[in-house]
Amino acid sequence: MDAAQWLADDEPIVGVVDPGTDAASPSGTDIAATIEATVPDLGGSIAAESVAEILSGDPSLFVAIGETGLIAVARRAPDVPVLPVGSVPGIESVAETDVADAFTALADGDAIERRRPLLGVAGPGTDDRRRALFDVTLVTNEPARISEYAVESRDDAVAQFRADGVVVATPAGSHGYASAVDAPRLSPAIDAVAVAPIAPFTTATRRWVLPHSDLVLSVERDEGDVRLLADGEPIDTVLPGERAVVDADGRLTTIVVPGISTRA
């Protein structure tokens, strides 16, 4: 882990990604106002636009508000560190009320970087490849409509089962939705994914820890539309006999401020 340096004399640009429509957080803190009041005092400037627009301005740092903001940054996999703000399951983040203190710590060099693995997946009917920081899922479009799925890892058959779906989670994602379907929780120190059926027809169905590359999900029998999603965003519909390949696809560097960042 490298020290995350905030070089004020280099006039850093801070890109703020806040997908919310209300600037006030649930705790009542106006995060945008706090950042606007803090960053210029440390010699930096702020860009509050889309991720693509911020990247075109060569930012030094991203600030991602909440899980949705962090997902938006991760999809671009920028070569720029990101400071998560707000509660984000599986990721150390800064509380809204501690943003000013976190920036002061960054200015003093009192922060570390952690590289989070990303997954990449494309639907069988599209070349639109998406990245996922938390999870990739195959799931029936209608609740309680069981289909049959197969999982294959590096050309070896792992399992075939009937369920509402199947989830593939990164170490960060294993603390979120995947934990609700009893997927194993993973340490961020390993390059692996947790794979689990969603509402399996047979309760004895197993869960697995598998390598995070060359993983194949397929639909063997379809009793309802099956969708492929990356971090909750629909990508494609998967038909019986079609396959979705999940691979490692880069990493996202997040900033952790000791004594300030906490994990939900």
Side-chain angles (χ1 to χ4, degrees), residues 110-134:
D110 297 332
I112 56 178
E113 295 181 354
R114 290 195 176 154
R115 292 173 59 78
R116 315 284 181 174
L118 300 172
L119 300 177
V121 64
T126 176
D127 293 328
D128 184 12
R129 186 174 177 83
R130 304 289 179 88
R131 292 187 181 94
L133 175 62
F134 296 104

Side-chain angles (χ1 to χ4, degrees), residues 35-55:
I35 296 172
E36 289 172 1
T38 304
V39 172
D41 288 343
L42 299 174
S45 59
I46 299 169
E49 301 164 309
S50 70
V51 177
E53 290 170 328
I54 293 171
L55 282 172

Side-chain angles (χ1 to χ4, degrees), residues 7-25:
L7 302 177
D9 55 351
D10 287 341
E11 300 182 356
I13 298 173
V14 178
V16 180
V17 180
D18 182 2
T21 56
D22 187 352
S25 73

Side-chain angles (χ1 to χ4, degrees), residues 89-90 170-176 178-180 182-188 190 194 209 263-264:
T170 64
S174 70
H175 292 260
S179 68
D182 296 326
R185 286 199 173 186
L186 302 181
S187 164
I190 64 172
V209 175
R263 187 169 68 183

